[in-house]
């Protein structure tokens, strides 16, 4: 079985797109619909290789989730999904330890390359 | 003679050599000056006439002293030092005469080697020649001054050999020093010149290429080597300015985005193609559209710099936008030609929807729904650019609720105004200044005139009628609506027959009536015709047919809508009417009830009908025109007949105050 990756996004379409691109590349996908959901899933899943997280979500958004994760001492690599032009949000994501970000709409091959590299370590 | 050119240096003395020799000559002068007290001391200890030693040493020293003052060429001074060194050697041998005479000779060999410090073989050669001559002369004349024992020719030859060997070696060292150290300066100068030339050529390329090229390192300072055109796009950079602040002058958000993403290309956390793909690709610099590309420049495995390529794609963008506008206009033009009325209706609805989106008194959901409908309508009518704008706006709102701010709404309105502005010309292209006349109308008039059937007034009246709106178009619209609706409701294909007989009506007055007629159509299609399920249950296999006709009779226009459906279910109407508290005794009552507000025999309210409001609108508009409605209904079908007076003498405003229900309905 491949490495486990969790995708956290309130849009089902995005979760599907990400899921499809990564499962074709051999990763095992887990989904969560918002930050809180994501935190629970991360805590309960063993051997999680990395997380992909949308910045804008209702409820607990991606940045708050990232903050919570890093405060709890998690070393899980997180890749953010964002839309164009949200520089302040990305600056905050950087501060809270996000490994990188990808702008939506994303190219599948870019996402796969990023995930492969981040889970290679 | 290669030997000669080896020993004798090339004529040109570089500044470096000059400076170097000046220093060395000064050191040498000081060195030999020191000989005076040292030799005097040696002579005094050795008891070999110190006064003479002092005098002779001073004399020999005067040579280089004078030379360094008098001679311009520093190499010549070095030559003098060569001779001086040997002379000093001789003096030392003389005044150091004693038990260590042999050891005193070591001085020659040491100085011969030291002479290479001038970076010039010639002083060494001169010194060797000097010492040889000196030895030859003194050996011939004062042998004991040279050797302290009977020296054989072999011993002399041995000395000479050593001198020769050492001189050769020292020459080699001196010449190498000249070529590689002093000469280095010249090599460096030549290389720098070549480099400057290449930089000049590079600048020429950079400045004459239409793209902006620059290589930027992690610190992101704007480099001096860059295309000149960048200055014209962004303005001249302040020294030490970063690429981000430079870009931000024209496009602040792109600059901010670039700044926040910059490091990620150099840190090797994500693959560099991925990070560079997230960098801003488009910029607005005033009216210009600029496109950005990034290429990594590696140093080993790590990214050292980024090559940024900026291109002006304004032309392409303008062309694409113009093409889009052209297509929109073309679509609009086609619509106007084929269905002017339908298109005008669309414009009205779209204008209302645009206003709704901007209307902050409506709920967020309502505004979004208006936006969504607007997008759909624009797409149907081929207004691609605006449809895409709405689509992008919808996506933005989906991501971020704040997106429907006044500025964005104002933008939407502005774009809408621009569109209708462009349309104004098109709408004029099929203006009301041009009349559409059916051939049959023309023929009818001509025949009537030819046969003398009409007087002038009648001719005039006919001609005036040609200004009015042909009813046929409206009937066709209704027919299209019926067909579309039937498909949507699964009623199958509806056959529509239209017979308009060139009937014309005064345009503006009738517009609300035509709008309301859609409800009659909807009712027919929805109630009268069976859907798929019902058709399978029942035995009815007749094709749904709808007849729409118009005729003129006794100064009135008669519009007939006839379907071959299952007829009105009067029982259902009765029970509904009773539950609404309406009179439901006679047929007339029921007919009135049919058009009442709130009446519907449909159990569920669908998007299409069942609200019970539509028929009331039909009644209202018919009355407003002073008209009457006749209903015939059986299992063979239903017919609605609208008899509306439409002579120019009828004043429209009086129709709205016409008596209410009585007199509107006729029995067939």
């Amino acid at each position: 079985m491949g490495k486990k990756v969790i995708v956290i996004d309130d849009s089902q379409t995005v979760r599907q797109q990400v899921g499809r691109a990564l499962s074709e590349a051999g990763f095992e996908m887990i989904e969560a619909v918002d930050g809180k959901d994501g935190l629970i899933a991360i805590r309960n899943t063993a051997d999680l290789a990395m997380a992909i997280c949308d910045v804008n979500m209702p409820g607990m958004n991606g940045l708050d989730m990232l903050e919570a994760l890093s405060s709890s001492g998690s070393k899980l690599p997180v890749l953010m999904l964002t839309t164009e032009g949200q520089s302040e949000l990305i600056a905050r994501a950087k501060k809270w330890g996000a490994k990188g970000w990808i702008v939506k709409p994303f190219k599948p091959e870019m996402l796969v390359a990023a995930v492969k590299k981040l889970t290679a370590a | 003679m290669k030997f000669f050119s080896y020993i004798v240096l090339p004529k040109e003395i570089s500044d470096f050599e000059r400076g170097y020799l000046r220093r060395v000559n000064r050191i040498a002068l000081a060195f030999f000056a020191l000989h005076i007290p040292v030799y005097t001391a040696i002579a005094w200890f050795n008891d070999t006439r110190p006064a003479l030693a002092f005098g002779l040493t001073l004399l020999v020293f005067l040579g280089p002293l004078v030379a360094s003052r008098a001679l311009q060429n520093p190499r010549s001074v070095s030559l003098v030092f060569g001779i001086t060194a040997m002379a000093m050697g001789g003096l030392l041998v003389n005044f150091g005469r004693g038990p260590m005479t042999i050891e005193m000779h070591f001085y020659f060999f040491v100085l011969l080697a030291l002479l290479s410090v001038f970076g010039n073989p010639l002083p060494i050669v001169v010194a060797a020649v000097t010492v040889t001559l000196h030895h030859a002369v003194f050996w011939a004349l004062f042998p004991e001054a040279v050797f302290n024992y009977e020296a054989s020719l072999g011993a002399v030859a041995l000395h000479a050999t050593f001198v020769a060997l050492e001189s050769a070696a020292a020459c080699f060292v001196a010449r190498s020093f000249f070529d590689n150290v002093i000469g280095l300066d010249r090599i460096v100068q030549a290389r720098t010149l070549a480099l400057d030339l290449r930089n000049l050529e590079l600048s020429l390329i950079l400045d004459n290429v239409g793209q902006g090229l620059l290589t930027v390192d992690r610190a992101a300072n704007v480099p001096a080597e860059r295309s000149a055109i960048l200055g014209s796009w962004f303005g001249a950079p302040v020294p030490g300015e970063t690429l981000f602040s430079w870009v931000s002058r024209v496009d602040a958000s792109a600059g901010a985005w670039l700044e926040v993403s910059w490091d990620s290309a150099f840190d090797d956390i994500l693959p560099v193609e991925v990070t560079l793909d997230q960098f801003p690709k488009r910029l607005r610099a005033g009216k210009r559209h600029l496109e950005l590309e990034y290429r990594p420049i590696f140093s080993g495995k790590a990214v050292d710099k980024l090559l940024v390529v900026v291109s002006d794609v304004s032309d392409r963008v303008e062309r694409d936008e113009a093409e889009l506008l052209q297509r929109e206009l073309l679509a609009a033009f086609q619509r106007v030609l084929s269905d002017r009325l339908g298109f005008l209706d669309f414009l009205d609805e779209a204008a209302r929807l645009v206003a709704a989106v901007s209307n902050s008194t409506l709920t967020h959901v309502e505004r979004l729904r208006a936006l969504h409908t607007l997008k759909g309508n624009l797409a149907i009518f081929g207004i691609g650019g605006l449809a895409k704008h709405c689509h992008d706006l919808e996506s933005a709102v989906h991501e971020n609720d704040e997106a429907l701010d006044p500025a964005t709404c104002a933008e939407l309105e502005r774009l809408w105004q621009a569109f209708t502005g462009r349309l104004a010309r098109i709408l004029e292209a099929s203006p009301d200044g041009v009349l559409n006349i059916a051939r049959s109308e023309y023929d009818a008039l001509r025949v009537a005139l030819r046969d003398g059937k009409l007087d002038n007034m009648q001719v005039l009246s006919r001609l005036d009628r040609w200004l009015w709106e042909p009813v046929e178009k409206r009937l066709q619209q209704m027919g299209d609506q019926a067909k579309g609706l039937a498909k949507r409701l699964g009623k199958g294909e509806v056959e529509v027959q239209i017979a308009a007989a060139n009937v014309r009506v005064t345009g503006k007055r009738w517009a609300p009536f035509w709008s309301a007629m859609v409800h009659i159509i909807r009712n027919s299609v929805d109630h009268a015709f069976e859907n798929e399920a019902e058709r399978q249950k029942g035995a009815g296999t007749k094709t749904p047919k709808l007849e729409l006709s118009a005729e003129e009779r006794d100064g009135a226009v008669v519009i007939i809508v006839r379907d071959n459906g299952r007829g009105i279910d009067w029982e259902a109407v009765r029970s509904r009417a009773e539950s609404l508290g309406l009179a439901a005794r006679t047929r007339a009552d029921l007919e009135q009830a049919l058009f009442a507000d709130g009446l519907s025999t449909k159990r569920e309210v669908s998007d299409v009908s069942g609200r019970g409001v539509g028929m009331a609108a039909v009644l209202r508009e018919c009355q407003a025109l002073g008209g009457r409605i006749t209903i015939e209904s059986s299992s063979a079908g239903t017919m609605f007949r609208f008899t509306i007076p439409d002579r120019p003498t009828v004043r429209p405003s009086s129709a709205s105050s016409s008596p209410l229900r009585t007199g509107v309905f006729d029995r067939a």
Side-chain angles (χ1 to χ4, degrees):
Chain A
M1 208 63 247
K3 298 208 176 129
K4 290 194 204 150
V5 174
I6 181 170
V7 56
I8 306 159
D9 195 318
D10 57 319
S11 156
Q12 207 215 345
T13 316
V14 174
R15 293 200 300 273
Q16 248 178 10
Q17 278 184 300
V18 172
R20 192 161 9 147
L22 291 178
S23 355
E24 275 174 13
F27 291 95
E28 193 184 323
M29 295 308 299
I30 301 171
E31 297 187 7
V33 301
D34 66 16
K36 236 180 5 174
D37 209 20
L39 280 176
I40 296 171
I42 289 172
R43 218 171 305 153
N44 294 342
T45 314
D47 314 321
L48 201 52
M50 70 167 284
I52 299 173
C53 182
D54 188 15
V55 168
N56 275 320
M57 287 185 290
M60 183 189 243
N61 68 30
L63 293 174
D64 295 334
M65 194 199 87
L66 195 60
E67 194 178 327
L69 261 186
S70 97
S71 313
S72 74
S74 163
K75 293 273 180 296
L76 189 70
V78 180
L79 180 69
M80 308 302 289
L81 289 176
T82 178
T83 50
E84 231 182 274
Q86 306 199 296
S87 2
E88 328 79 47
L89 298 180
I90 292 304
R92 279 172 55 198
K94 256 179 27 178
K95 190 165 67 127
W96 289 112
K99 292 289 180 202
W101 51 89
I102 292 196
V103 175
K104 292 193 278 195
F106 60 84
K107 301 190 188 117
E109 62 272 16
M110 293 282 161
L111 183 69
V112 170
V115 171
K116 278 195 175 149
K117 182 150 186 173
L118 284 177
T119 55
Chain B
M1 267 233 293
K2 266 180 61 187
F3 179 75
F4 183 80
S5 62
Y6 189 83
I7 300 296
V8 180
L9 295 179
K11 255 211 172 73
E12 200 202 312
I13 305 179
S14 68
D15 291 338
F16 178 78
E17 187 182 354
R18 205 176 284 274
Y20 173 75
L21 284 180
R22 204 193 340 260
R23 271 201 316 277
V24 171
N25 287 343
R26 233 189 312 210
I27 294 171
L29 199 67
F31 174 70
F32 286 120
L34 270 177
H35 281 43
I36 302 172
V38 169
Y39 280 13
T40 311
I42 290 174
W44 192 72
F45 277 117
N46 234 13
D47 202 18
T48 49
R49 295 197 273 179
L52 186 61
F54 177 82
L56 280 179
T57 315
L58 186 60
L59 192 66
V60 170
F61 175 72
L62 280 180
L65 184 65
V66 168
S68 55
R69 295 291 137 87
L71 292 178
Q72 294 300 343
N73 191 336
R75 285 184 192 165
S76 312
V77 179
S78 315
L79 279 184
V80 173
F81 278 122
I83 305 172
T84 311
M86 297 299 103
M88 288 296 192
L91 287 180
L92 184 63
V93 166
N94 186 47
F95 292 107
R97 196 171 350 120
M100 290 202 286
T101 308
I102 295 173
E103 283 73 7
M104 294 303 169
H105 282 85
F106 292 172
Y107 180 90
F108 288 104
F109 292 106
V110 170
L111 264 290
L112 257 186
L114 276 181
L115 284 178
S116 51
V117 86
F118 291 106
N120 189 346
L122 208 55
I124 298 164
V125 168
V126 164
V129 165
T130 305
V131 82
T132 308
L133 276 178
H134 173 109
H135 269 73
V137 167
F138 271 67
W139 185 66
L141 302 177
F142 309 107
E144 67 279 3
V146 180
F147 294 102
N148 66 345
Y149 61 95
E150 275 302 314
S152 62
L153 200 61
V156 172
L158 191 61
H159 277 223
T161 308
F162 278 128
V163 167
L165 278 176
E166 196 185 357
S167 304
C171 281
F172 177 74
V173 171
R175 186 64 203 243
S176 301
F177 185 80
F178 176 79
D179 287 337
N180 296 316
V181 177
I182 296 174
L184 190 65
D185 177 64
R186 200 168 313 144
I187 294 170
V188 168
Q189 262 190 12
R191 292 269 173 88
T192 310
L193 201 65
L195 206 65
D196 283 342
L197 200 67
R198 208 137 42 99
N199 281 346
L200 198 68
E201 288 169 0
L202 196 64
S203 308
L204 212 64
I205 295 173
L206 281 181
D207 290 344
N208 286 293
V209 148
Q211 287 175 310
L213 298 158
L214 67 168
T215 46
V216 191
D217 60 13
R218 192 184 187 128
N221 293 316
V222 176
E225 297 81 34
R226 58 174 190 271
S227 305
I229 199 166
L230 289 167
S232 69
W233 288 338
F234 298 111
V238 171
E241 188 165 10
T242 61
L243 182 64
F244 321 130
S245 93
W246 203 32
V247 166
S248 292
R249 294 192 196 182
V250 297
D251 189 330
S253 73
W257 186 254
L258 195 60
E259 180 160 16
V260 89
S261 340
W262 189 253
D263 287 337
S264 64
F266 295 88
D267 304 327
D268 195 28
I269 301 176
L270 288 185
V272 69
E273 330 68 82
V274 176
T275 52
L276 290 181
D277 195 50
Q278 314 309 317
F279 276 28
K281 300 194 180 81
R282 280 292 179 94
L283 268 190
R284 283 304 294 271
K287 286 208 181 243
R288 269 185 249 269
H289 291 266
L290 300 177
E291 204 172 63
L292 292 129
E293 286 173 73
Y294 311 89
R295 306 239 196 296
I297 299 176
F298 291 94
S299 160
K301 283 261 173 92
V303 176
D304 188 39
K305 288 191 176 172
L306 293 180
L307 170 66
V308 182
V309 183
V310 187
S311 316
D312 188 339
V313 293
S314 311
D315 288 344
R316 182 177 15 117
V317 167
E318 267 174 38
R319 227 189 1 248
D320 288 345
E321 280 180 7
E323 205 188 300
L324 201 63
L325 288 181
Q326 277 292 89
R327 261 189 272 143
E328 278 182 6
L329 236 44
L330 187 66
F333 190 61
Q334 283 171 330
R335 288 282 176 167
V336 166
L337 283 184
S338 64
D339 177 21
R340 186 195 169 90
L341 299 168
F343 191 70
L344 292 176
D345 290 342
F346 151 71
L347 287 182
D348 281 338
E349 189 185 351
R352 267 202 303 280
L353 288 169
V354 171
V357 172
S358 308
N359 186 351
S360 45
T361 64
L362 296 176
T363 67
H364 191 75
V365 174
E366 285 171 329
R367 291 168 77 183
L368 275 186
R369 203 179 304 136
L371 181 61
H372 186 77
T373 311
L374 178 64
K375 177 187 85 170
N377 290 1
L378 287 169
I380 290 172
F381 278 79
I383 317 300
L386 264 177
K388 176 157 195 312
H389 184 88
C390 290
H391 178 81
D392 291 342
L393 189 52
E394 255 193 310
S395 306
V397 171
H398 181 73
E399 265 297 314
N400 171 17
D401 278 344
E402 313 289 310
L404 268 188
D405 57 34
T408 318
C409 293
E411 168 84 7
L412 180 64
E413 282 188 28
R414 197 186 53 79
L415 288 172
W416 175 250
Q417 293 300 334
F419 173 65
T420 47
R422 285 195 297 277
L423 274 185
R425 279 176 46 227
I426 298 250
L427 289 173
E428 280 163 29
S430 85
D432 304 310
V434 173
L435 301 182
N436 287 315
I437 304 164
R439 183 59 195 254
S440 48
E441 288 175 295
Y442 165 82
D443 287 341
L445 178 62
R446 202 177 166 281
V447 163
L449 267 177
R450 183 197 65 191
D451 296 345
K453 293 232 174 87
L454 303 171
D455 64 31
N456 271 358
M457 288 311 296
Q458 284 170 312
V459 170
L460 270 176
S461 128
R462 288 241 193 150
L463 287 176
D464 285 342
R465 292 279 304 285
W466 287 0
L467 291 174
W468 294 3
E469 188 187 275
V471 167
E472 177 151 19
K473 274 264 159 68
R474 292 291 187 178
L475 296 184
Q476 269 170 357
Q477 215 182 5
M478 286 160 63
D480 287 341
Q481 279 166 350
K483 284 195 211 164
L485 193 58
K487 275 223 182 74
R488 258 203 292 160
L489 295 177
K491 309 279 184 176
E493 296 281 328
V494 170
E495 201 183 302
V496 172
Q497 282 176 351
I498 298 180
N502 293 328
V503 174
R504 290 175 180 252
V505 296
T506 50
K508 288 211 172 20
R509 207 161 75 87
W510 279 64
F513 175 75
W514 296 121
S515 288
M517 282 303 276
V518 74
H519 299 292
I520 295 283
I521 298 294
R522 283 179 175 172
N523 249 274
S524 292
V525 175
D526 203 12
H527 290 257
F529 299 136
E530 297 163 326
N531 59 20
E532 190 63 52
E534 289 163 339
R535 218 174 308 133
Q536 280 183 1
K537 270 196 295 192
T541 47
K542 50 181 176 176
T543 326
K545 237 193 329 185
L546 191 67
E547 277 173 44
L548 303 166
S549 55
E551 57 187 17
E552 284 185 58
R553 216 196 296 165
D554 306 325
V557 171
V558 180
I559 310 286
I560 295 174
V561 179
R562 195 204 306 268
D563 68 58
N564 68 344
R566 47 189 164 192
I568 296 174
D569 185 354
W570 292 112
E571 277 312 307
V573 175
R574 184 194 303 281
S575 52
R576 269 308 270 164
E578 276 167 0
S579 71
L580 283 175
L582 300 168
R585 233 177 358 95
T586 64
R587 170 68 180 246
D589 291 336
L590 292 180
E591 283 176 4
Q592 260 174 220
L594 194 66
F595 285 90
D597 252 331
L599 187 109
S600 173
T601 56
K602 275 252 163 164
R603 282 185 205 291
E604 308 106 32
V605 168
S606 72
D607 166 59
V608 178
S609 54
R611 291 182 200 276
V613 174
M615 295 300 266
V618 173
L619 176 65
R620 189 176 59 242
E621 297 308 332
C622 185
Q623 285 173 251
L625 290 173
R628 303 189 316 271
I629 306 181
T630 311
I631 307 170
E632 274 171 33
S633 186
S634 70
S635 57
T638 308
M639 182 202 79
F640 289 92
R641 185 190 298 130
F642 302 85
T643 311
I644 299 172
D646 190 48
R647 295 299 93 195
T649 52
V650 176
R651 277 163 296 147
S653 48
S654 64
S656 52
S657 57
S658 66
L660 297 178
R661 311 226 164 169
T662 51
V664 175
F665 293 100
D666 274 349
R667 300 229 86 237

